[in-house]
Amino acid sequence: MASFRVTGGQKLRGEIIPQGAKNEALQVLCAVLLSPEDITIEKIPNIRDVNKLIELLGDMGVKITKNGPESYTFNAESINLDYLETGDFLAKASALRGSVMILGPLLARFGKGKISKPGGDKIGRRRMDTHFTGFQKLGATFRYDKKKEIYHIDGSELRGCYMLLDEASVTGTANIVMAAVMAKGKTTIYNAACEPYIQQLCAMLNRMGAKISGVGSNLLEIEGVTALKGTTHTLLPDMIEIGSFIGLAAMTQSEITIKDVQVQRLGIIPEIFQRMGIKLEINGDDIHIPAQKHYEIETFIDGSILTIADAIWPGFTPDLLSIVLVTATQAKGTVLVHQKMFESRLFFVDKLIDMGAQIILCDPHRATVIGLDRKYPLRGIRMTSPDIRAGVALLIAAMSAEGTSVIDNVEQIDRGYQYIDQRLNALGASIQRIE
C-alpha cells in the first residue's frame, strides 16, 4: 500500500493541463462493445479505474492498440461471451463500479449480459434499480443470485418504449441509452441525466450511426438501428480535476493557470468557487487563479449563511463538494456543505478536524465549515484516503498545512487522478510517494 509524505506550506506556480474526464472515459470505453469496427479514443487518462476497464475489455476479446500515451484504438469484432461465465470476469467486474455499463452494449449487440455486484468507492449506497428498471422496460428480463451476488440478464428481444426514470442517474442513463440504440422501434427517456459526459456519449454514438435526439436535455428520443460503425472520439477535460486545482490554488496561496478547460462545458463550477471568494481570470479556454492571501465566502442576499449543495446537472457536481469543504477551512466566513446523494462522503472531515479545521458535522449529509481566514493554519498529521475525492481533499489540506503529513492508501487517489504527485511537484509541491 502506497503513501504520500507531504511537506506543507509550498506555494505552487505554473501551468497544468487537466487529464481527460474519468467519468466520460468509463462510459465511452464500454460503448466500444457496440460496434465490430475500429473506435479510436483520445485523451484517455492513465488512472487505475480506466486501466482496469481497458484490461477487462481486453479479456473479453476486444483488440486494443495503444497509439500514444493518451490514445487507444479498440476493435470489438470478436467478443468471447463465454468469458462472462468465468470467475475471473466476475471478480474483475465486481472490483470496478464502472463495469456495470458494459451491460447496455452487451444487451444491445448480443442479447444477453451477466455481471457481479459492482464495487467502487465506499461513499454510500448506490443502487442499481434505475439501470435494471430501464432494461426491463425495454423488454429485458433478469434474475439476481443473492448467494453469488450475480445479475443474469436476457435482452434478446429489446423493443423501444417510453420510460420515466426514477432518478436522473448518469450511469443509468448511459447504460439505458446504449441498450436502446439497437432496440427495435423508438425509445423515449424522460428525466434522463444530461451531464456533459452523457452529451459526449450521445454525440459519439450518433457519429457511429445511432439516431439520438434531445441531446443536452432531460428528454432523449432514440430510433433503433440495426448496426453501428466505428468512429474517433476525444474526451473532455476532467471537470473534477479542474475544480480540484482551483481549490488547491486558493488553499496554498498559489498562482496557477489551468489550460484547455473548455469553460463552456464546466457549468456552474467556476461560479461556485467564485462564491467562495476565489478570484478566477478566464482567458479563452484557460483559467488563471492568482495567488490570494485571503478569500471570503459570500452570504445569501439576506445575509444568511451560504449553502452549497450537490444537484443533478446543471447543478453542482457531488464530486467537488469535498474540495469545496476543505477550501472553506482557510476562507473567511462560514458555509454549510450539503451532500445530498451519498451518506458517507463527509466522513473524512474528522481528519480535517484533527488538523485544526473548525467543522461541525451536523449529520451524515451536512457539515458546517467555519473559515478562520488563515489565522490558525492546519497542521500536518497522518491520515488515510477513504475514497478518490476525499483523498484529494486531504492532499490539498496537507499541502496547505504546517509541517509534514502522511496520507496512506493513495491507491484510492490513483483511481481518479493520473500522476498527481508528479504533476503537482512540477509546480513546486513537495509530495513524496512511499511504496
Side-chain angles (χ1 to χ4, degrees):
M1 185 178 294
S3 303
F4 284 155
R5 179 178 286 119
V6 183
T7 302
Q10 311 297 313
K11 294 185 179 181
L12 283 59
R13 186 181 181 89
E15 297 180 347
I16 193 164
I17 299 174
Q19 67 188 27
K22 172 203 169 186
N23 290 339
E24 180 188 344
L26 297 177
Q27 295 179 25
V28 300
L29 285 171
C30 292
V32 306
L33 294 169
L34 285 165
S35 171
E37 299 184 15
D38 285 355
I39 295 175
T40 298
I41 304 177
E42 309 285 352
K43 289 290 291 183
I44 294 180
N46 183 12
I47 55 178
R48 186 159 301 191
D49 279 8
V50 169
N51 293 338
K52 283 184 176 180
L53 182 55
I54 292 173
E55 179 185 344
L56 181 64
L57 291 172
D59 291 339
M60 293 172 66
V62 178
K63 294 180 181 178
I64 302 169
T65 304
K66 188 170 184 178
N67 309 312
E70 299 179 320
S71 174
Y72 287 79
T73 297
F74 302 88
N75 184 286
E77 182 178 8
S78 300
I79 297 299
N80 179 14
L81 294 178
D82 291 337
Y83 177 69
L84 303 182
E85 306 296 326
T86 67
D88 184 63
F89 167 74
L90 296 174
K92 289 182 177 179
S94 66
L96 177 64
R97 184 77 189 177
S99 66
V100 69
M101 287 183 287
I102 69 172
L103 288 178
L106 289 174
L107 296 180
R109 187 171 164 206
F110 302 105
K112 62 180 180 179
K114 182 177 180 180
I115 199 165
S116 52
K117 188 175 181 180
D121 280 339
K122 303 300 182 183
I123 59 174
R125 182 170 176 263
R126 295 189 283 183
R127 58 190 178 84
M128 303 294 299
D129 299 61
T130 302
H131 300 249
F132 288 122
T133 299
F135 294 153
Q136 285 178 312
K137 289 181 178 179
L138 289 172
T141 59
F142 77 96
R143 63 183 178 86
Y144 176 54
D145 185 332
K146 290 185 178 180
K147 185 176 181 180
K148 296 182 179 180
E149 294 190 324
I150 297 173
Y151 298 95
H152 303 262
I153 305 98
D154 178 359
S156 54
E157 296 292 334
L158 296 185
R159 295 186 177 277
C161 66
Y162 170 88
M163 67 179 78
L164 173 60
L165 302 188
D166 62 337
E167 64 172 344
S169 163
V170 177
T171 55
T173 299
N175 228 348
I176 295 165
V177 166
M178 289 188 284
V181 288
M182 287 195 279
K184 295 178 181 178
K186 178 180 177 180
T187 300
T188 300
I189 307 172
Y190 193 28
N191 195 31
C194 51
E195 272 79 354
Y197 312 133
I198 293 291
Q199 297 174 38
Q200 285 281 98
L201 173 66
C202 291
M204 172 181 167
L205 293 174
N206 280 342
R207 289 196 303 274
M208 293 168 65
K211 297 180 179 180
I212 308 170
S213 59
V215 179
S217 76
N218 68 347
L219 182 63
L220 297 176
E221 293 184 340
I222 304 168
E223 292 284 351
V225 297
T226 56
L228 295 175
K229 60 185 180 181
T231 189
T232 297
H233 180 79
T234 300
L235 300 180
L236 289 175
D238 195 308
M239 67 173 71
I240 313 305
E241 206 178 58
I242 293 165
S244 301
F245 293 150
I246 294 172
L248 168 65
M251 281 282 282
T252 59
Q253 303 180 59
S254 299
E255 182 178 355
I256 296 176
T257 298
I258 313 171
K259 302 289 291 182
D260 304 325
V261 302
Q262 296 200 30
V263 175
Q264 77 280 5
R265 309 297 293 272
L266 294 179
I268 202 172
I269 291 172
E271 180 181 334
I272 292 295
F273 283 102
Q274 287 171 327
R275 298 197 76 179
M276 297 284 292
I278 301 170
K279 294 178 183 177
L280 303 179
E281 298 169 1
I282 298 175
N283 303 310
D285 262 340
D286 300 341
I287 296 179
H288 177 72
I289 305 100
Q292 287 181 253
K293 189 173 183 180
H294 303 282
Y295 51 100
E296 184 172 352
I297 300 169
E298 294 181 4
T299 63
F300 285 120
I301 293 174
D302 63 0
S304 57
I305 292 173
L306 180 69
T307 297
I308 297 178
D310 55 343
I312 59 173
W313 188 268
F316 192 62
T317 172
D319 284 344
L320 280 174
L321 279 183
S322 58
I323 306 301
V324 165
L325 190 150
V326 73
T327 304
T329 64
Q330 296 303 299
K332 179 181 179 181
T334 301
V335 63
L336 175 65
V337 175
H338 189 177
Q339 167 61 265
K340 298 176 182 176
M341 297 187 185
F342 304 111
E343 68 272 10
S344 302
R345 239 185 185 167
L346 297 182
F347 286 173
F348 74 100
V349 301
D350 59 329
K351 307 299 189 300
L352 297 179
I353 293 170
D354 289 345
M355 298 177 78
Q358 298 294 298
I359 304 173
I360 302 168
L361 186 59
C362 309
D363 56 45
H365 292 275
R366 297 178 301 158
T368 300
V369 186
I370 303 166
L372 299 178
D373 197 19
R374 300 194 197 275
K375 291 179 182 177
Y376 305 100
L378 301 180
R379 56 183 175 269
I381 64 168
R382 185 162 199 142
M383 46 196 160
T384 299
S385 170
D387 63 71
I388 300 172
R389 308 309 176 187
V392 170
L394 294 176
L395 177 60
I396 292 172
M399 292 175 65
S400 72
E402 290 185 341
T404 300
S405 298
V406 175
I407 305 174
D408 297 321
N409 194 30
V410 297
E411 287 85 357
Q412 286 284 356
I413 299 174
D414 293 338
R415 290 176 52 216
Y417 295 79
Q418 66 177 2
Y419 313 121
I420 190 65
D421 50 335
Q422 299 175 34
R423 296 161 71 202
L424 294 180
N425 284 342
L427 299 181
S430 180
I431 307 169
Q432 179 186 4
R433 182 181 290 266
I434 307 166
E435 297 294 343

